[in-house]
């Protein structure tokens, strides 16, 4: 009998060794926090109620903050959809090629040529959209327009070079001076002459 019991209890399932898992410290921390709260409610009920009230206020503040952030994220999309459905010219007033050209020139006069390139590029894209050569969307990158713009071969090559120059100055931190800005503008004017009819 003793030998049979020894064999049975020698099996791995009867080894009662405490196993450690990686998140044991978190379980222990939770147990200590619950014990502390229980002792606080028993010994100091007013302090416990004040703590619960403060935690509820923090939770309400967090929920209000999350709601505000979600509202700020969703509001521009809802505003754009409302503007597009409200009046046919509302989106055109916001996304106007002439206003981007004027902004680019103002930035160039201020010596901020790299920023001016961005507005000059937006003006070109909006001019191409007016010519029905591309579809503008604020979330598209300049490189995405290269693949979908309807231009002849020379125009597509020129447009790709324009995007490469834009990336070089805006993201590659290559300095941009007035000569670079004027050359960019001259190249941008050439692009709209290569639109392929639909």
């Amino acid at each position: 009998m003793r030998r049979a019991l020894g064999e049975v209890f020698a099996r791995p399932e009867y080894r009662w060794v405490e196993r450690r898992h990686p998140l044991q410290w978190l379980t222990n921390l939770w147990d200590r926090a619950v014990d502390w709260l229980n002792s606080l409610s028993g010994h100091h009920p007013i302090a416990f109620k004040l703590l619960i009230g403060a935690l509820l206020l923090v939770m309400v503040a967090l929920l209000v903050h999350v709601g505000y952030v979600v509202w700020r994220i969703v509001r521009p999309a809802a505003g754009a959809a409302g503007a597009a459905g409200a009046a046919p010219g509302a989106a055109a007033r916001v996304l106007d090629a002439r206003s981007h050209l004027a902004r680019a020139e103002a930035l160039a006069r201020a010596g901020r040529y790299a920023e001016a390139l961005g507005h000059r590029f937006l003006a070109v894209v909006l001019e191409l959209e007016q010519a029905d050569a591309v579809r503008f969307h604020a979330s598209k990158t300049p490189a995405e327009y290269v693949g979908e713009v309807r231009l002849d071969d020379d125009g597509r090559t020129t447009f790709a070079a324009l995007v490469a120059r834009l990336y070089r100055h805006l993201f590659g931190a290559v300095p941009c001076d007035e000569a670079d800005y004027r050359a960019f503008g001259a190249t941008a004017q050439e692009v709209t002459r290569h639109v392929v009819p639909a």
Side-chain angles (χ1 to χ4, degrees):
M1 183 76 145
R2 192 175 296 158
R3 189 167 21 108
L5 283 174
E7 287 177 8
V8 168
F9 287 117
R11 294 180 184 162
E13 56 266 18
Y14 289 105
R15 289 189 188 143
W16 295 312
V17 177
E18 186 177 342
R19 295 182 183 161
R20 296 181 54 88
H21 44 85
L23 297 178
Q24 182 64 41
W25 66 272
L26 191 59
T27 306
N28 293 341
L29 186 66
W30 176 258
D31 290 339
R32 277 188 275 163
V34 168
D35 290 340
W36 180 76
L37 285 173
N38 287 335
S39 69
L40 183 66
S41 70
H43 294 93
H44 306 288
I46 295 174
F48 178 75
K49 289 178 183 176
L50 288 174
L51 177 67
I52 295 298
L55 290 174
L56 283 173
L57 286 175
V58 168
M59 188 175 73
V60 167
L62 282 173
L63 287 174
V64 167
H65 178 67
V66 167
Y68 174 72
V69 169
V70 169
W71 176 73
R72 288 291 304 258
I73 290 170
V74 173
R75 185 180 61 151
R93 283 193 299 272
V94 174
L95 304 172
D96 182 40
R98 277 183 276 146
S99 65
H100 282 290
L101 279 172
R103 180 73 178 142
E105 286 300 319
L107 288 168
R109 281 192 301 275
R112 296 162 56 184
Y113 298 110
E115 290 178 63
L117 289 182
H119 285 280
R120 185 65 183 96
F121 181 79
L122 278 175
V124 170
V125 170
L126 292 171
E127 288 170 357
L128 289 171
E129 184 181 43
Q130 285 177 348
D132 205 25
V134 75
R135 188 105 172 129
F136 173 77
H137 195 277
S139 68
K140 289 183 185 175
T141 64
E144 287 178 285
Y145 290 116
V146 174
E148 64 185 49
V149 68
R150 281 196 325 274
L151 300 171
D152 60 21
D153 291 339
D154 290 340
R156 189 176 291 275
T157 303
T158 305
F159 189 72
L162 200 66
V163 169
R165 192 180 307 169
L166 178 72
Y167 277 13
R168 188 168 48 250
H169 290 296
L170 286 183
F171 306 117
V174 173
C176 182
D177 57 10
E178 186 175 3
D180 292 327
Y181 171 72
R182 297 295 171 205
F184 187 90
T187 306
Q189 282 181 330
E190 290 295 319
V191 168
T192 54
R193 298 182 186 147
H194 294 278
V195 174
V196 173

